[in-house]
Amino acid sequence: MKKYEIVREYILESIKKNIYLPGMVIESENELSSRLNVSRVTVRKALDDLCADNTLFKIKGKGTFVAEKPKYFDFQCGVGFSSEIRKRNRVPSTNYAKIRHIKADALVAAELQIPLESEVWEVIRVRCADGIPIAHEHEFFPYLLMPDLTEEIAFSSIYDWLETKGIYLGYVDQKISAVLAEKSIASKMNVAVGSPLVKMVITTYTRTGTPFNFGETLYQTEHFQILQSLYLNKK
């Protein structure tokens, strides 16, 4: 881990543990430098990155403050299937995965903020919890970001694999609606045609705000419920 990442992770963990609360001024550059045994230049780089993420903000002459609620701490579901399933003490798996190397259409290009007809990976998967099909994913990833993606990787966790390449989830924009299972989806998820499904359309961003995943996930709700935690501002 690079030195500035040590500072970054210290601050993020402090926010997650409510040591730093929204609106609170954090330690000065000198204090962080001394506490973490790094240079002020290193501390400043970490703070600048976190300000760019809208996790922190600076007020000249007063210090660096925690944002009201960093965007990527607000979401609790809809992305990171494997980690979400593990949180529920269940075992994640994939019973179907297919990847294709294609060109981005107008919608995919716009959501991933890449030129029209740029190369992308199309990934279709059926994700399971304790062997039960839970989610049908149809997603797109920029090819240049991950040219070495394989079907074998798609059968596990793509997000976990991306972390080994230094690409970390920052936050996700998600739109939720309800749909009925079509025949092709129903057969893959072992549900009746016309069964209600939760549809979640997502665009996922790195910690620096770069979109790297766009697509939709259909969840069956007989064996799985979506959990969404909402944060209220503390007065």
Side-chain angles (χ1 to χ4, degrees), residues 94 112-113 136 139 216:
T94 302
L112 293 179
Q113 296 177 20
H136 181 279
E139 301 177 297
E216 70 172 39

Side-chain angles (χ1 to χ4, degrees), residues 129-181:
D130 295 338
I132 299 172
I134 297 296
H136 181 279
E137 298 176 341
H138 187 185
E139 301 177 297
F140 301 89
F141 299 83
Y143 178 81
L144 292 179
L145 187 69
M146 44 199 294
D148 47 346
L149 178 67
T150 65
E151 196 166 280
E152 181 180 1
I153 294 168
F155 265 98
S156 56
S157 170
I158 293 178
Y159 283 4
D160 286 352
W161 173 69
L162 285 172
E163 287 190 1
T164 68
K165 299 165 68 67
I167 301 170
Y168 296 93
L169 165 67
Y171 60 90
V172 59
D173 289 331
Q174 53 191 20
K175 299 176 184 177
I176 303 175
S177 59
V179 298
L180 300 179

Side-chain angles (χ1 to χ4, degrees), residues 26-52:
I26 70 169
E27 296 156 282
S28 69
E29 290 183 5
N30 282 335
E31 290 170 325
L32 288 169
S33 176
S34 176
R35 178 186 293 273
L36 301 175
N37 194 29
V38 296
S39 70
R40 283 190 62 186
V41 172
T42 298
V43 171
R44 192 172 298 120
K45 174 173 173 52
L47 295 181
D48 288 345
D49 281 357
L50 289 168
C51 285

